[in-house]
Amino acid sequence: MSENETIAPHGGSLVDLLATGEPAAALAAEAANLPKIIVSDRELSDLEMLAVGALSPLIGFQGRGDYHSVLETMRLESGLAWSIPVTLSLTEEEAHRLGGADSAALVPAEGLAPLAVLRIGEIFARDRQKEALAVYRTDDPEHPGVAALRSAGDFCAAGTLEVISLPEHDDFLSYRLAPSQTRAVFAERGWRTVVGFQTRNPIHRAHEYIQKCALEIVDGLLVHPLVGATKGDDVPADVRMRCYEALFEGYYPKDRAMVSVFPAAMRYAGPREAIWHAIARKNYGCTHFIVGRDHAGVGSYYGTYDAQEIFEEFEPGELGIMPLKFEHSFWCNACEGMGSPKTCPHDEERRVSLSGSKVREMLRAGERPPLEFSRAEVADILIAAMQDG
Ligand SMILES: [Zn+2]
């Protein structure tokens, strides 16, 4: 770890799988003649994360040994903490078509240029039931992660990746920083400690309060919204991004806070995903990570504090990054300020709290939620987006 680095990447060094210049051209030429594997949107996110080192120390899609080790122990075969398998699925027909090839070209869709070459180490059968119960703690097909798992192929192709180019994006271009780039920004700003905030939702006063509580004890804040695939009913990423911009403009110190996007797809795996999110943020250079109630949860599949408690299943130092566990927070009229059940002694009726469905109802009706709940700038963006949609 170099002197001006905040924290070493998971496993010790930052992975970079992206070829450039002559080797990239040679790889593209080779890929043109290889059998192809079409990767799903979610796997494309993983490919991008692998390429830029967000999933360090992984250098490709995981094989059978790591797959089972992760499911059973939340650790790689090497013993390093890792909570969710990173696999590339294959249907039986695709596996057949590869016919023992030792390399394959990964393409985002039929007819598009290959993004990467996979040096195939092995092809193995996935154990759907075991994976569902370990990762999602349920095999209910209504769970979005389980549903995605059910529709994926029966086999996984594992091996190291050589990346020709990153998936193309036409949005958030100035916010797409790789881990090496966020690390460079932190170093440039002289931040030694940085807290990461994962989100797939607009930021209301409660989230702002939590972020600022954390920022009181560290040098910098990285708001790191997830922009890979989410459920259809989550607020679209571009709307969320306009909210973050408005909030940063008006209420965050420019030299202590930044927004960048996290290219991961949402798995809704609750506790296991909280660990995975923390490890990835460590790779981006964060020393601390905010874990709220029901982090990465969906419906009522996980207990309120499961995603916080799972951090106790690791020895101190195993993860490296420090979880900061927060309660839900609110404005209290008696305290005349933001607080949480940890800091406010008053009862429910003095606190301004609204359910998610009540907030959506107000926004749809063109009505701003109370200023104690949501900044007017954020409310107006959400109202406009609801009325467009
Ligand atoms: Zn109070």
Side-chain angles (χ1 to χ4, degrees), residues 330 332 334-335 344-346 351:
F330 43 76
C332 170
C335 292
C344 156
H346 305 106
R351 299 172 178 174

Side-chain angles (χ1 to χ4, degrees), residues 330-337 339-340 343-347 350-351:
F330 43 76
W331 175 276
C332 170
N333 286 319
C335 292
E336 294 185 305
S340 80
T343 55
C344 156
H346 305 106
D347 55 30
R350 314 299 297 273
R351 299 172 178 174

